[in-house]
Amino acid sequence: MGLNAGLPATLEGWLALLEQRHGQRIELGLERVRKVKDAMAVSSDAAVITIGGTNGKGSCCAMLEGILLAAGYRVGCYTSPHLMRYNERVRIDGQDASDAQLVVGFEAVEAVRGDTPLTYFEHGTLAAWAVFAAARLDVIILEVGLGGRLDAVNLFDADCSIVTSVAMDHMDFLGDTREAIGFEKAGIFRAGRPAVCGDPQPPASLVEHALTIGAELWISGRDFGFGGDRQQWGYWRYAEPPAQGALVKRGGLAYPALRGTNQLLNASAVITALECLRTRLPVSMQHVRQGLMLVEVPGRFQVLPGRPAVVLDVAHNPQAAGVLAENLGSMGFYPETWAVLGMLADKDVEGVCALMAGRVDHWLLADLPGPRGLAAESLVGRVRAAGGKGDMHCFSSPAEAFAAAQKAALEGDRIVVFGSFLTVADVLAAIKAARQR
């Protein structure tokens, strides 16, 4: 049994309990979570790197984790959401946390929570911190769940923060302009500490907030950046921002193992963060090369081996869909592209589909579960309104839609699965099950 009678003894039991109590609802604000965090009285001497932004967070977390592990540091990494198993959210030294470690973390939160309500994400964030504190780590990487300023991850002061990009998403919670969203993202910055912005055109609100609190703001294209050719790329930065001091250059870098034209934006932001922390966490360029060459992030422009080609991408907002469309364009020639699409109702469906419409010949539309999930039938008109051409077929799940795509696609064709973490997760589960038969 857990610490108290009646508490679950398994991870599966804990997740079911948290879903039953609070579901997956979003409830921004730090007062409740801070009260429980303070009661836990759990601390760590590890350096903390917090990563926020609309897109690119998962890639930056994976790059940082890979580089720091290559350098020999003990690394904790907290990300969300997961694709297949909850354990993916909490990683120690490159491995998913065990069920037992997570159960201990959930129990540590519950032991002091009292009658303070916590959401599923908030309870999980505090539990992850308890797991990391027990592991005696050198560095902890924390990915923001939503926004930044009021996200539970922002309870933990970062030694360095990264905002990867600022685009339109989660507008019901963060505001309906880039300026409003940029201010929320900038909430993870800290006074007197490095704040890295990977967006070359940040909203004025983000810049102003960083200046107001006295953060050391590094902006892509102004204070650091990259260049390259087909074989390799190079990184550069000024000695200090804004664009001051000697120019530092690092050349001869192999391209990140992560596919996609946007990954050098992410990689250069990650290297800048490490350069800012170099006195505390020294990392050689050889470690950078190793980390970037080996990094993997399932579901981010993930191209599976075999024919027809299968591309998995969790793109669910227009910025991410634009990057996906660009990456598909650079893949080479495929006679037909079959899209497996499932989306949530609170996403910009038309914005996503408009950017993908020119890349898709056949649409296989899937129902997604839960109160936020869109029915495939409702997607038909919205895809058409966004300029989607070709035939459209509806299915009860992404896995069913993917199976139909596999039957219909020819060997030289391409299948693209996108629109939501739920869509990619369902297809990945089906692929795994098929391999085990």
Side-chain angles (χ1 to χ4, degrees), residues 229-291:
D229 55 32
R230 288 182 176 273
Q231 278 73 45
Q232 59 186 20
W233 68 287
Y235 165 83
W236 61 265
R237 68 170 175 86
Y238 284 98
E240 57 183 279
Q244 296 178 27
L247 193 62
V248 178
K249 295 184 178 181
R250 314 287 190 194
L253 297 171
Y255 279 84
L258 295 179
R259 295 171 180 252
T261 55
N262 60 319
Q263 294 301 348
L264 292 188
L265 277 169
N266 295 329
S268 58
V270 162
I271 294 173
T272 301
L274 293 171
E275 292 272 301
C276 290
L277 295 173
R278 62 190 179 279
T279 57
R280 183 167 182 182
L281 297 170
V283 170
S284 73
M285 290 312 294
Q286 184 56 32
H287 296 139
V288 171
R289 292 185 182 94
Q290 284 179 264

Side-chain angles (χ1 to χ4, degrees), residues 115-127:
D115 59 359
T116 303
L118 295 175
T119 67
Y120 180 98
F121 178 77
E122 290 166 348
H123 200 125
T125 300
L126 293 177

Side-chain angles (χ1 to χ4, degrees), residues 39-279:
M40 288 173 66
V42 175
S43 61
S44 172
D45 294 329
V48 175
I49 304 173
T50 300
I51 303 178
T54 306
N55 297 303
K57 298 189 296 290
S59 296
C60 283
C61 286
M63 289 179 186
L64 271 172
E65 182 185 35
I67 294 168
L68 289 163
L69 286 174
Y73 292 108
R74 298 213 65 209
V75 183
C77 188
Y78 176 62
T79 60
S80 64
H82 59 277
L83 273 175
M84 307 299 291
R85 300 169 64 238
Y86 186 91
N87 309 60
E88 298 166 22
R89 297 187 180 213
V90 184
R91 291 166 60 83
I92 295 174
D93 290 341
Q95 301 297 317
D96 296 346
S98 67
D99 286 10
Q101 287 174 306
L102 292 169
V103 166
V104 170
F106 283 127
E107 288 177 342
V109 178
E110 188 69 12
V112 299
R113 184 182 64 83
D115 59 359
T116 303
L118 295 175
T119 67
Y120 180 98
F121 178 77
E122 290 166 348
H123 200 125
T125 300
L126 293 177
W129 183 258
V131 172
F132 290 152
R136 301 179 182 273
L137 303 170
D138 300 308
V139 58
I140 296 172
I141 302 163
L142 301 174
E143 179 187 353
V144 169
L146 190 155
R149 182 174 65 93
L150 299 176
D151 188 84
V153 162
N154 201 32
L155 283 172
F156 305 99
D157 285 330
D159 295 286
C160 180
S161 305
I162 301 175
V163 170
T164 57
S165 62
V166 181
M168 307 299 280
D169 200 6
H170 299 296
M171 292 177 283
D172 290 349
F173 296 95
L174 305 180
D176 57 3
T177 66
R178 279 190 84 232
E179 292 297 328
I181 294 171
F183 176 75
E184 295 297 329
K185 305 286 186 193
I188 64 174
F189 295 161
R190 291 296 188 269
R193 296 183 182 178
V196 179
C197 179
D199 194 318
Q201 297 179 307
S205 59
L206 180 146
V207 177
E208 289 167 6
H209 180 71
L211 293 174
T212 298
I213 68 170
E216 182 185 292
L217 181 62
W218 297 76
I219 300 177
S220 179
R222 184 193 76 175
D223 306 304
F224 69 93
F226 59 89
D229 55 32
R230 288 182 176 273
Q231 278 73 45
Q232 59 186 20
W233 68 287
Y235 165 83
W236 61 265
R237 68 170 175 86
Y238 284 98
E240 57 183 279
Q244 296 178 27
L247 193 62
V248 178
K249 295 184 178 181
R250 314 287 190 194
L253 297 171
Y255 279 84
L258 295 179
R259 295 171 180 252
T261 55
N262 60 319
Q263 294 301 348
L264 292 188
L265 277 169
N266 295 329
S268 58
V270 162
I271 294 173
T272 301
L274 293 171
E275 292 272 301
C276 290
L277 295 173
R278 62 190 179 279
T279 57

Side-chain angles (χ1 to χ4, degrees), residues 195-406:
V196 179
C197 179
D199 194 318
Q201 297 179 307
S205 59
L206 180 146
V207 177
E208 289 167 6
H209 180 71
L211 293 174
T212 298
I213 68 170
E216 182 185 292
L217 181 62
W218 297 76
I219 300 177
S220 179
R222 184 193 76 175
D223 306 304
F224 69 93
F226 59 89
D229 55 32
R230 288 182 176 273
Q231 278 73 45
Q232 59 186 20
W233 68 287
Y235 165 83
W236 61 265
R237 68 170 175 86
Y238 284 98
E240 57 183 279
Q244 296 178 27
L247 193 62
V248 178
K249 295 184 178 181
R250 314 287 190 194
L253 297 171
Y255 279 84
L258 295 179
R259 295 171 180 252
T261 55
N262 60 319
Q263 294 301 348
L264 292 188
L265 277 169
N266 295 329
S268 58
V270 162
I271 294 173
T272 301
L274 293 171
E275 292 272 301
C276 290
L277 295 173
R278 62 190 179 279
T279 57
R280 183 167 182 182
L281 297 170
V283 170
S284 73
M285 290 312 294
Q286 184 56 32
H287 296 139
V288 171
R289 292 185 182 94
Q290 284 179 264
L292 293 182
M293 283 193 296
L294 299 175
V295 67
E296 293 181 357
V297 186
R300 272 74 161 193
F301 201 65
Q302 181 181 2
V303 182
L304 303 182
R307 292 164 68 91
V310 175
V311 180
L312 306 173
D313 199 302
V314 296
H316 55 264
N317 57 51
Q319 185 188 46
V323 172
L324 172 58
E326 186 178 351
N327 291 338
L328 291 173
S330 66
M331 281 183 72
F333 175 73
Y334 294 86
E336 304 282 323
T337 294
W338 304 73
V340 173
L341 174 68
M343 294 195 69
L344 298 176
D346 55 2
K347 298 301 179 182
D348 183 358
V349 177
E350 287 81 2
V352 167
C353 293
L355 288 160
M356 286 292 292
R359 301 292 183 197
V360 176
D361 303 293
H362 311 275
W363 296 84
L364 295 89
L365 308 173
D367 296 346
L368 286 190
R372 296 168 62 206
L374 273 177
E377 292 286 350
S378 69
L379 278 173
V380 174
R382 299 177 74 168
V383 173
R384 289 277 188 226
K389 308 293 184 184
D391 51 305
M392 299 193 186
H393 307 275
C394 296
F395 300 89
S396 62
S397 71
E400 186 182 317
F402 180 69
Q406 286 181 302

